[in-house]
Amino acid sequence: MDIVIYGTVNSIVFALIAVGFTLVYGVSRIPNFAHGSIYVLVGFLTWSFVNDLRMNYALAILLSLTIAAVVGFIMYRFILIRLRGMATSEIIASFAVSLVILEGLRMQGIGGFKGFIGPFYVLRPFIEGKMNIWGVFVDFQRLIIIGGGIAVVGLLWLFTHHTKMGLSLRAIAQDERAAMMLGVNSDRTAMISLSIGSALAGLAAVIILPLGSVTAEAGYKVLIYALAVSIIGGLGSWAGAVLASFVIGFAMKISTAMFGAVWESVVLVGTIILILLFKPSGLLGKQKELEERV
Amino acid sequence: MSMLEVSSLMVFYENALAINNVDLRCQKGEITGVFGANSAGKSTLMYTISGIILDIEKKERMRGGERVTVLGSIYYEGADIIFMETSDRAKKGIILCPERRRIFPESSVLENLKIGGILATRAQAKKTLDYVFTMFSPLKGLKKREGGFLSGGEQQMLAIGRALMAQPKLLLLDEPLLGLSPMMEEILVRAIEDINETTGITILISEQYARPILPIIHHGYVLENGVSVLEGTSQELMDNPDVKSAYFGI
């Protein structure tokens, strides 16, 4: 039973991490390598707002998410816009942004700025306490992750299917020029996608981070998870990303229960290799497969 | 006053001349035709009027590919729009229904139309949606079908419907009859005529297969290797011996 519950939590953690990355890639074909750094940035900002500025927790979260969205916007408007369509340059540039943010957060003492020192950057859970579900003790934060994950995916689905902005994102994702002919501005859409993607990375951070502590290293780990999930799910496929999160999430939990925690990363990489061996375009990477066939 | 006036337009792909000094006018409320064989420059002309050529130019420049150059001027409702972005031109009412239709393959028929209606107000979208479903009744039963699974004719109906949803003032139709059966051709030609008559939308239509289109146009041009070699009213073109031999086999 605990495999089912903790596996689900783990899977939704992956989904939350990957959904922003997939959104950006799906819409603008930009592999946003700064995804993990924004995750950490939001964690750090929220912690600072609460602990240094004595801000209300909810307000701190809202403010950091807004900052994340602005960072995404600036990153596109001033850096990525010049590199559109050159995948390698996009990766290098966004990874550079990621390094600046993550290593910048370790800086000490410039203008009174205090970066990460020591392991005590812990965000408070939204609600303390545990609950007994079918004989397994689950803390409320993990339940919030499940609820939050489902809500995020659901709201994102509604947004992309029933609002004009969401529809223009989907249009650009499917056929950029055809969407332009109907009045969708490609640059503006990419900018919006990057803002939303960054805010989603931040949202994942504030929901997930109370389970552990905020560290700069988490940025690299999150980026790798996001990449793994998107590649397995089929780059740019949102349903694929959710499916892949469950595959990886459960594979990791089951292997931990059976062979011990040391095998976790081996299983993660092993799953990626196995799936790519049999389905090179990922689980739901339809478009790519069609292209390959043609 | 003419709605669209293209004057001394030249488009180069690297050093190859795709459009050579073309002058073209679309009178408000009329159907204008552009005819020509493959590679005569019809699609390039359409891309230039709708602004897609600027996107092609930008992408080619970024990846260090072909150099695309556009010279001349395009006056639309009195203003030169030659350097205006595609989406801004669409907001001003220039909507291109592209060659090979380019339906959004993963979206349903209804969603394709909804995406078309991004520029429309809610009331406009509703009205146009009704109009599209009455004119292209086969689409009505396929609302939930994904765009990628439609037949060519259905896709063409959807593409025109989608373009109409964007509330065009000047509708550009690039080879709307490409690869369709004679029966479907007839349905579409009648639909195009109906759009022009009932909604008063100005239409510019390019086609290499002129025979079904010639009777419904008001004014037409013949392109050959990027040069406009002939122009005239529908009747003048049909009476022209060169056109007769090329398109009617007389």
Side-chain angles (χ1 to χ4, degrees):
Chain A
M1 200 63 224
D2 53 343
I3 287 188
V4 174
I5 291 172
Y6 281 93
T8 310
V9 172
N10 205 27
S11 309
I12 290 180
V13 165
F14 277 116
L16 273 170
I17 287 175
V19 80
F21 184 89
T22 310
L23 177 85
V24 174
Y25 187 82
V27 171
S28 54
R29 304 285 138 181
I30 293 173
N32 179 15
F33 272 57
H35 193 74
S37 69
I38 287 170
Y39 176 93
V40 174
L41 180 70
V42 167
F44 181 83
L45 285 176
T46 311
W47 187 89
S48 305
F49 288 152
V50 171
N51 290 284
D52 293 340
L53 303 178
R54 304 271 155 227
M55 217 182 258
N56 177 294
Y57 197 17
L59 190 69
I61 288 174
L62 263 177
L63 192 59
S64 342
L65 289 185
T66 315
I67 293 176
V70 172
V71 169
F73 170 84
I74 291 175
M75 200 160 69
Y76 184 79
R77 181 65 191 79
F78 293 103
I79 301 169
L80 293 172
I81 200 169
R82 297 156 204 270
L83 308 168
R84 277 304 290 284
M86 297 186 284
T88 323
S89 310
E90 282 166 357
I91 291 176
I92 294 172
S94 57
F95 194 63
V97 172
S98 164
L99 286 178
V100 168
I101 294 176
L102 287 177
E103 300 307 317
L105 285 177
R106 292 189 217 251
M107 265 192 332
Q108 302 295 334
I110 297 179
F113 176 81
K114 286 204 307 267
F116 284 115
I117 339 171
F120 44 77
Y121 292 81
V122 181
L123 289 179
R124 207 172 63 230
F126 297 168
I127 307 165
E128 303 277 356
K130 289 181 188 214
M131 204 176 136
N132 188 336
I133 301 175
W134 298 306
V136 188
F137 281 103
V138 189
D139 40 340
F140 282 119
Q141 192 61 34
R142 286 198 162 77
L143 295 177
I144 290 174
I145 289 181
I146 296 185
I150 293 169
V152 165
V153 172
L155 285 176
L156 209 57
W157 189 88
L158 283 178
F159 169 71
T160 51
H161 284 77
H162 292 285
T163 65
K164 277 190 178 175
M165 195 190 281
L167 283 173
S168 44
L169 291 182
R170 274 165 57 78
I172 287 273
Q174 291 183 60
D175 187 334
E176 190 186 357
R177 285 206 180 122
M180 288 164 72
M181 292 164 200
L182 297 167
V184 181
N185 185 318
S186 169
D187 275 331
R188 192 172 311 146
T189 324
M191 221 138 60
I192 292 167
S193 80
L194 225 72
S195 294
I196 297 176
S198 303
L200 283 174
L203 192 62
V206 292
I207 299 180
I208 296 165
L209 282 175
L211 292 183
S213 61
V214 192
T215 58
E217 288 73 26
Y220 302 106
K221 209 172 83 182
V222 163
L223 172 62
I224 289 169
Y225 284 168
L227 276 174
V229 170
S230 325
I231 290 171
I232 291 182
L235 276 168
S237 160
W238 305 348
V242 174
L243 185 64
S245 310
F246 276 84
V247 170
I248 302 181
F250 273 93
M252 273 169 76
K253 277 295 159 204
I254 291 170
S255 69
T256 310
M258 285 169 70
F259 317 114
V262 275
W263 288 93
E264 214 177 64
S265 50
V266 178
V267 168
L268 174 69
V269 178
T271 320
I272 299 177
I273 293 174
L274 268 180
I275 288 176
L276 291 189
L277 266 179
F278 293 107
K279 263 196 125 233
S281 52
L283 290 174
L284 295 182
K286 266 191 242 158
Q287 277 177 319
K288 201 80 181 294
E289 206 171 88
L290 273 178
E291 272 166 32
E292 278 160 16
R293 242 185 264 151
V294 174
Chain B
M1 193 193 96
S2 50
M3 183 166 215
L4 180 85
E5 192 178 333
V6 175
S7 71
S8 36
L9 185 72
M10 295 182 109
V11 179
F12 293 86
Y13 291 114
E14 208 68 49
N15 291 326
L17 199 51
I19 301 274
N20 187 359
N21 212 6
V22 166
D23 294 291
L24 180 146
R25 283 157 182 271
C26 291
Q27 300 297 336
K28 198 173 176 128
E30 290 195 350
I31 302 180
T32 309
V34 175
F35 305 106
N38 271 332
S39 83
K42 299 184 304 294
S43 288
T44 304
L45 180 68
M46 288 300 199
Y47 282 156
T48 314
I49 296 174
S50 75
I52 291 290
I53 197 87
L54 299 178
D55 188 58
I56 296 175
E57 191 270 334
K58 194 174 87 181
K59 297 237 159 75
E60 287 291 327
R61 178 160 41 82
M62 276 194 166
R63 63 174 193 94
E66 270 184 334
R67 189 159 37 88
V68 180
T69 320
V70 182
L71 302 168
S73 48
I74 301 172
Y75 287 97
Y76 173 71
E77 293 182 326
D80 193 356
I81 55 160
I82 192 138
F83 293 119
M84 192 184 270
E85 266 191 54
T86 305
S87 56
D88 292 331
R89 294 190 203 192
K91 277 173 203 141
K92 282 189 171 289
I94 304 181
I95 303 293
L96 170 62
C97 175
E99 190 186 354
R100 303 199 176 277
R101 312 177 271 269
R102 302 185 76 151
I103 294 298
F104 299 115
E106 290 160 34
S107 292
S108 66
V109 167
L110 195 61
E111 197 170 84
N112 265 286
L113 293 170
K114 269 193 193 162
I115 292 175
I118 282 173
L119 288 180
T121 64
R122 193 173 285 239
Q124 284 172 330
K126 201 173 168 304
K127 200 174 143 217
T128 316
L129 200 64
D130 286 341
Y131 177 63
V132 170
F133 281 137
T134 350
M135 186 169 53
F136 298 130
S137 47
L139 289 182
K140 216 168 183 175
L142 301 166
K143 276 184 191 174
K144 290 263 183 309
R145 183 82 59 90
E146 277 178 38
F149 292 123
L150 297 179
S151 74
E154 289 159 355
Q155 281 196 356
Q156 189 61 56
M157 291 181 188
L158 180 56
I160 294 178
R162 190 180 64 176
L164 285 178
M165 289 293 288
Q167 312 300 319
K169 287 187 207 157
L170 172 63
L171 179 61
L172 310 173
L173 297 172
D174 196 359
E175 305 221 17
L177 304 185
L178 190 72
L180 299 182
S181 67
M183 214 172 74
M184 192 53 84
E185 270 175 13
E186 209 185 306
I187 294 174
L188 282 167
V189 169
R190 226 180 294 132
I192 292 167
E193 205 176 5
D194 183 71
I195 292 168
N196 178 252
E197 271 166 18
T198 52
T199 63
I201 295 171
T202 313
I203 296 177
L204 178 62
I205 180 167
S206 89
E207 191 55 68
Q208 63 168 306
Y209 187 48
R211 193 198 292 244
I213 302 283
L214 261 177
I216 66 161
I217 62 165
H218 299 98
H219 203 83
Y221 295 81
V222 176
L223 283 188
E224 221 166 76
N225 293 323
V227 185
S228 166
V229 290
L230 197 67
E231 84 164 273
T233 61
S234 171
Q235 201 54 50
E236 281 167 11
L237 285 180
M238 281 197 275
D239 292 342
N240 184 291
D242 290 339
V243 175
K244 266 188 184 163
S245 67
Y247 295 108
F248 294 95
I250 303 170

